[in-house]
Amino acid sequence: MKALLLLSTFLFTTLLLSASKNGNKMMHLKKVNHEIEIDGRIDPVWDTADSVSDFTQHQPYYGKEPTRRTVAKLLTTDEALYCLIVSYDDYKNIQKITGKHDDSGGDFVSLMLDTFGDKRTAYKFAVSASGITSDARLLDDARNRDYNWDGVWFASSEIYDWGYVVEMKIPYRSIQYDEHLTEWGLDFDRWIPALNEDIYWCSYEENEGQRISKFGKLLFEDFQPSVKGLNLEIYPVGLTKAEYLSSGKYKIEPQAGIDIFYNPSPKLTYQLTANPDFAQIEADPYDFNISRYESYFSERRPFFTEGNEIFMPSGKESGSGFYSPMELFYSRRIGKKLPDGSEVPLIFGTKAFGRIGEFEYGGFLAMTGEKKYLLNNEEQIESRAYFGSARIKKQIMGNSSIGLLFVGKHTKDNNYGVLDIDGAFRESNWQLSYQLARSFKNSEGDYAASAGFLMFGEKWLNLARFRYVGEQFDVNQVGFVPWRGTVSFVGISGPRWYFEDGYIRSIIIYGGASLYHEKVDSYTDHGAVIGFNMQLRDNWGYEINFFAGNSKDADKKFTSYEISLSSWYHISPKWRGNLWSGYSKTYNFYRDYLAYYSWMGSYVSWNALDILSLGTSLNIWLEGKPEGGIEDITYNARPFFSLTPVNNLNVRLYVDDVFVKSTDRMEQIILGLLFSYNFSPKSWIYFALNEFRDRSDEFDGVGNIIHNRMHVTDRAGVFKIKYLYYF
């Protein structure tokens, strides 16, 4: 307890001594008495607005003057905030790529607002030169961006010979805010892809990146937003679904659903969905897994992703990938896939989230229906289930936080759940996160804990993570923590060099140690890691790391090792990609033997035209034999074609195929076609067609089993309309 008190005193003192380097950055918000037309033209009313133009480079040359001039202005009415950003450039340099909401490229500008003054969270509103909008919530002092958040706001752009102009209108009822504040946090951003140049109005440390805690100030002049009204969004959803049964027969059925958003106050949001269908979601990518644990797939269903920041454990928002807290609320357990490939139906779901002072809170309820399925040719029943979650977080010591989370599942026979305490101490260049949880399955349960420390200094980095999962810690019904009976620790440290000029931007060399204990093996794996990271100014870079140590799996002790490479190359506005590979000696739980294992993967996308994007991912997994030689090679590719003839109208076609060397044939093919048209804010028309083919056993007309023939296992077409009624 004494040590904890000393640590808290140190952290509190550190936070008090930390001062924003943008304290003199401020803009006065002036009020006008009439609406401003949003058309990308500079009307005379903008002459009355306060303006800023003192931007600074963050990359490629940190701290230098921008190579292009940018001017930003803000005005307000009682109902909405208006923004004008004028970006000067030669016409030929402006990247004019079509796109859809939250999915575009080319030149863009953005406005960021800390509407609660908490210095941890903010809204981001971005508009491209071609007029595509994008919005997000900045989380964890801008360490991460949640693009699942979508607001109702309006924007337009216009390109001229001398540059381009963006105008935005953000209704106050579309965002949450503290109506008692007299100032908000504020920043502007501009991305110039032809120059690989990123500029901000506020200045941030090169090693940290953007931080909400260092935003400038938007000062209200004789005005405070206080919009009151119904603030209700209703989305009726109508769809017709055709599912393939067999022998050329289809089941066609119309369905209807509804989504509701309601903001009774600027600090509270309700959300409800009934009979949802997620036709716009692509099939999960193929995953090759030789470990003893299940694979993780990210959530992409809109109802579960929108507004989910409140349910995140502290530290998950950091986005570094090094420390990842246990995911105790894994929403893919709701409406999950069953062993025969069918899905448990989601009947309805609702959640609420909001703020009271320094507290954030949220609640979630969902009900899934009963579902029959086949397992080993025997009929099974997945019972009707009720899911619930409750969350509360409090801001402490500046922009640090502490929180409590409960997640539960109830069926007619069982109760499952977990209770969690988590938090994070934060400064602009470091974060210490922690998590302690207790699971329950009826009367049984166990404990788990995790912690992570990340610090990126100007000349040095230090990273450490720890995780303990009790042998009886079972949250499989509500969360994703498959590593029961394990303890792990990783710590790395090393120098970092930043070069103010030249082709190389930064170099990091690091080393450290790793410990991993699995009770099932009664052994603690241990080893050392070294790595090298280089980033170049043309947005290309790579990282190499090597691990070696002693391990034990399935009663076999062995010297384990792994070398891996990852590389990213975004050296042109029209090209982007990644390349990764690795080679290791490890235990193959799929084959149940010890051997070498290798992998290689890549992703590339190309904007062939302003309206056309082509690309693919390609993965190769190579399994070795214990005695040497190759056991098998598996190939997976996912090429795609994406056409956007006009903004917000897209046609996307993709193929996901799996080829296995030992059989010398394609084992699985997924075909997907998606037409989407975002014809109005948060209003869509979708047409989706998906087909799954594999070589699973099938039956002929008289009941005989047909083996190893590629055939259709599932085919479905969905036409869906979702329309926003905004009150």
Side-chain angles (χ1 to χ4, degrees):
M1 179 62 73
K2 185 176 180 180
L4 180 60
L5 179 61
L6 289 173
L7 175 62
S8 299
T9 302
F10 165 75
L11 295 172
F12 182 66
T13 303
T14 302
L15 292 170
L16 286 177
L17 293 175
S18 175
S20 170
K21 64 192 298 182
N22 298 303
N24 61 344
K25 291 272 189 175
M26 59 185 64
M27 174 183 275
H28 296 271
L29 182 62
K30 298 180 180 180
K31 182 184 174 185
V32 294
N33 295 319
H34 59 85
E35 289 192 22
I36 301 173
E37 187 175 0
I38 304 301
D39 56 7
R41 297 186 177 93
I42 306 175
D43 297 326
V45 67
W46 286 110
D47 293 337
T48 66
D50 196 3
S51 67
V52 297
S53 59
D54 51 337
F55 285 69
T56 185
Q57 276 197 54
H58 192 76
Q59 72 171 48
Y61 297 100
Y62 172 74
K64 304 292 185 182
E65 290 288 327
T67 58
R68 303 291 185 268
R69 186 167 183 261
T70 307
V71 179
K73 298 185 176 186
L74 293 174
L75 287 172
T76 188
T77 64
D78 288 329
E79 302 296 325
L81 178 70
Y82 292 84
C83 177
L84 171 77
I85 301 180
V86 182
S87 302
Y88 293 90
D89 204 346
D90 293 334
Y91 179 85
K92 65 179 182 298
N93 294 332
I94 301 171
Q95 302 293 320
K96 303 171 283 292
I97 299 172
T98 59
K100 55 185 179 180
H101 182 68
D102 285 345
D103 185 9
S104 64
D107 288 73
F108 73 81
V109 294
S110 57
L111 161 70
M112 288 147 288
L113 300 167
D114 175 7
T115 59
F116 283 95
D118 63 10
K119 301 184 183 298
R120 291 185 301 114
T121 60
Y123 290 101
K124 178 178 180 177
F125 303 91
V127 185
S128 73
S130 57
I132 299 300
T133 61
S134 180
D135 49 25
R137 289 280 288 155
L138 306 187
L139 308 174
D140 192 16
D141 204 5
R143 289 174 173 87
N144 197 16
R145 283 126 173 87
D146 179 13
Y147 282 94
N148 297 311
W149 181 81
D150 286 323
V152 179
W153 57 289
F154 308 91
S156 181
S157 68
E158 190 73 27
I159 300 175
Y160 302 91
D161 291 340
W162 47 264
Y164 67 96
V165 173
V166 162
E167 283 186 298
M168 309 180 201
K169 175 185 177 181
I170 304 166
Y172 288 117
R173 64 178 180 171
S174 296
I175 58 176
Q176 293 185 311
Y177 57 89
D178 186 341
E179 63 269 33
H180 302 296
L181 294 180
T182 58
E183 63 183 49
W184 287 355
L186 174 68
D187 197 12
F188 301 96
D189 179 25
R190 179 182 176 188
W191 169 244
I192 310 172
L195 303 173
N196 192 31
E197 186 171 314
D198 195 13
I199 65 174
Y200 291 94
W201 176 49
C202 297
S203 180
Y204 306 101
E205 299 299 329
E206 180 276 329
N207 57 298
E208 299 169 7
Q210 187 183 36
R211 289 291 181 262
I212 299 168
S213 55
K214 296 183 178 181
F215 273 16
K217 298 177 181 179
L218 175 62
L219 305 176
F220 302 138
E221 287 196 351
D222 302 321
F223 167 81
Q224 285 178 262
S226 58
V227 170
K228 306 293 182 183
L230 195 55
N231 299 332
L232 176 64
E233 302 174 24
I234 299 178
Y235 308 86
V237 179
L239 59 99
T240 299
K241 189 171 186 177
E243 292 183 280
Y244 178 75
L245 299 176
S246 63
S247 303
K249 296 180 180 179
Y250 289 84
K251 179 177 70 174
I252 301 176
E253 56 181 357
Q255 297 181 24
I258 192 168
D259 294 326
I260 296 175
F261 285 79
Y262 177 41
N263 291 90
S265 78
K267 298 181 182 180
L268 177 61
T269 297
Y270 290 109
Q271 184 178 352
L272 179 142
T273 187
N275 194 29
D277 185 278
F278 305 105
Q280 68 272 30
I281 302 301
E282 286 188 8
D284 289 321
Y286 177 76
D287 182 70
F288 191 84
N289 187 354
I290 65 167
S291 77
R292 57 164 42 121
Y293 304 114
E294 69 170 304
S295 297
Y296 178 86
F297 295 99
S298 60
E299 179 64 86
R300 293 181 294 166
R301 296 173 294 178
F303 172 74
F304 295 102
T305 58
E306 293 175 0
N308 69 341
E309 65 181 80
I310 183 63
F311 300 101
M312 290 181 179
S314 298
K316 185 175 177 62
E317 311 99 315
S318 63
S320 71
F322 180 81
Y323 170 64
S324 180
M326 296 175 294
E327 187 144 356
L328 304 176
F329 181 24
Y330 183 38
S331 57
R332 289 192 63 136
R333 303 296 190 202
I334 305 172
K336 65 184 179 181
K337 283 192 175 183
L338 297 170
D340 65 352
S342 61
E343 294 183 355
V344 176
L346 174 62
I347 306 303
F348 83 90
T350 184
K351 57 186 173 184
F353 44 93
R355 294 176 182 246
I356 300 177
E358 294 182 338
F359 287 90
E360 297 176 70
Y361 60 90
F364 176 91
L365 290 172
M367 182 179 74
T368 57
E370 184 177 278
K371 180 69 175 180
K372 296 180 180 179
Y373 65 98
L374 293 177
L375 180 61
N376 298 323
N377 292 323
E378 293 185 4
E379 187 176 83
Q380 306 287 328
I381 297 178
E382 179 76 15
S383 300
R384 179 185 299 272
Y386 301 88
F387 295 82
S389 179
R391 175 67 159 164
I392 185 169
K393 286 198 288 189
K394 185 181 188 299
Q395 184 175 346
I396 60 172
M397 300 169 59
N399 69 354
S400 300
S401 63
I402 186 170
L404 182 69
L405 172 69
F406 166 80
V407 187
K409 175 183 177 181
H410 171 74
T411 67
K412 63 180 180 180
D413 299 316
N414 295 289
N415 291 299
Y416 312 89
V418 63
L419 185 64
D420 160 78
I421 298 174
D422 59 81
F425 298 104
R426 299 185 183 94
E427 240 297 324
S428 57
N429 68 341
W430 61 264
Q431 176 169 287
L432 173 62
S433 305
Y434 60 90
Q435 186 180 36
L436 175 65
R438 164 76 179 185
S439 71
F440 63 86
K441 180 180 179 181
N442 296 324
S443 60
E444 300 175 354
D446 208 341
Y447 291 94
S450 67
F453 177 76
L454 303 93
M455 184 183 74
F456 287 90
E458 291 185 32
K459 298 181 178 181
W460 202 269
L461 67 85
N462 294 290
L463 309 173
R465 69 182 181 213
F466 165 83
R467 185 178 67 209
Y468 164 80
V469 182
E471 190 177 12
Q472 302 302 318
F473 187 81
D474 184 0
V475 294
N476 189 55
Q477 295 295 321
V478 295
F480 185 88
V481 187
W483 316 282
R484 289 190 286 171
T486 64
V487 183
S488 63
F489 170 82
V490 179
I492 65 175
S493 182
R496 176 182 185 269
W497 295 271
Y498 173 77
F499 304 94
E500 294 184 358
D501 297 295
Y503 187 56
I504 300 174
R505 182 180 181 188
S506 67
I507 292 177
I508 300 173
I509 300 175
Y510 58 86
S514 169
L515 300 172
Y516 184 62
H517 179 83
E518 289 182 292
K519 187 172 182 179
V520 67
D521 294 316
S522 299
Y523 188 80
T524 300
D525 298 355
H526 53 279
V529 60
I530 58 174
F532 178 85
N533 176 292
M534 177 182 286
Q535 298 197 47
L536 308 178
R537 279 208 157 78
D538 61 2
N539 231 6
W540 182 81
Y542 65 94
E543 181 171 352
I544 300 173
N545 63 64
F546 178 76
F547 169 85
N550 295 317
S551 302
K552 180 182 178 182
D553 283 309
D555 295 325
K556 290 184 173 63
K557 291 184 180 181
F558 58 97
T559 300
S560 59
Y561 54 83
E562 177 180 310
I563 184 169
S564 62
L565 164 71
S566 61
S567 179
W568 50 97
Y569 43 97
H570 303 164
I571 57 178
S572 164
K574 291 184 177 293
W575 288 89
R576 61 187 297 265
N578 301 84
L579 175 68
W580 58 91
S581 63
Y583 180 89
S584 68
K585 181 182 180 182
T586 188
Y587 199 86
N588 187 329
F589 284 91
Y590 178 73
R591 305 283 182 181
D592 196 23
Y593 58 56
L594 175 66
Y596 73 87
Y597 171 64
S598 184
W599 64 94
M600 183 174 69
S602 64
Y603 172 84
V604 62
S605 66
W606 172 43
N607 288 109
L609 302 169
D610 286 345
I611 64 171
L612 176 64
S613 177
L614 306 172
T616 188
S617 63
L618 175 63
N619 289 281
I620 303 172
W621 298 276
L622 193 151
E623 300 171 90
K625 295 180 179 179
E627 65 276 12
I630 298 175
E631 178 72 60
D632 211 344
I633 305 175
T634 302
Y635 304 85
N636 171 239
R638 195 180 178 101
F640 71 87
F641 161 103
S642 181
L643 177 67
T644 312
V646 296
N647 287 343
N648 295 316
L649 189 154
N650 177 255
V651 179
R652 179 177 172 87
L653 175 68
Y654 73 94
V655 181
D656 193 310
D657 53 68
V658 179
F659 181 89
V660 178
K661 178 65 175 176
S662 60
T663 62
D664 198 31
R665 65 190 181 194
M666 206 72 72
E667 295 292 338
Q668 174 184 295
I669 298 175
I670 301 175
L671 303 172
L673 170 67
L674 176 64
F675 168 87
S676 60
Y677 179 33
N678 183 197
F679 59 91
S680 184
K682 301 178 82 168
S683 299
W684 295 82
I685 295 175
Y686 295 104
F687 173 72
L689 180 63
N690 290 287
E691 180 172 299
F692 296 78
R693 293 174 173 262
D694 64 21
R695 296 183 183 275
S696 59
D697 291 342
E698 59 176 325
F699 298 89
D700 62 19
V702 294
N704 298 316
I705 295 180
I706 304 173
H707 297 286
N708 300 323
R709 185 176 73 175
M710 182 69 74
H711 65 285
V712 176
T713 58
D714 189 20
R715 180 188 292 150
V718 176
F719 179 75
K720 178 177 177 180
I721 299 178
K722 178 179 180 180
Y723 185 74
L724 166 65
Y725 288 95
Y726 192 38
F727 301 93

